Amino acid sequence: MPAGAAVFVVSLDLPFAQKRWAVANNAEGLSYLSDYRDHSFATAYGVFSKNRPNYARQFIVSKDRTIAYAEIVPEVATERTTSDAGGLKKLG
């Protein structure tokens, strides 16, 4: 990861559910943000859907708040391509 990069997990889950997931998946070192209340993150990036709340999304967002990489899969259980770091290369 490039110097100065940070990882945040944003979900529609409440903080207690994010904590439970982090513990169960040995991912306690990440920073979690809840978009539960007003869906402002998902709305701002055009990915909020009342009809399909289980879409999984991953983004690399640059310091100027533009999306350098995006991947959207139809279900949370769908394998995501986390090895594709094209967006990180662009930022780094």
Side-chain angles (χ1 to χ4, degrees):
M1 195 172 339
V7 175
F8 296 92
V9 177
V10 182
S11 75
L12 298 181
D13 297 312
L14 289 166
F16 79 87
Q18 291 174 325
K19 172 100 173 140
R20 184 178 59 218
W21 184 91
V23 170
N25 290 279
N26 197 28
E28 296 164 280
L30 300 175
S31 298
Y32 293 85
L33 303 169
S34 175
D35 200 23
Y36 175 81
R37 186 167 294 187
D38 62 5
H39 315 302
S40 59
F41 180 87
T43 301
Y45 286 94
V47 296
F48 180 71
S49 171
K50 288 183 181 181
N51 298 330
R52 294 299 307 249
N54 288 333
Y55 274 116
R57 306 136 180 110
Q58 61 185 26
F59 300 106
I60 298 173
V61 181
S62 66
K63 287 183 180 181
D64 66 357
R65 298 182 181 173
T66 59
I67 295 175
Y69 172 81
E71 182 175 7
I72 300 174
V73 295
E75 296 294 333
V76 172
T78 303
E79 186 76 23
R80 288 177 290 290
T81 314
T82 55
S83 64
D84 183 350
L88 280 177
K89 289 178 185 171
K90 289 180 192 176
L91 294 176

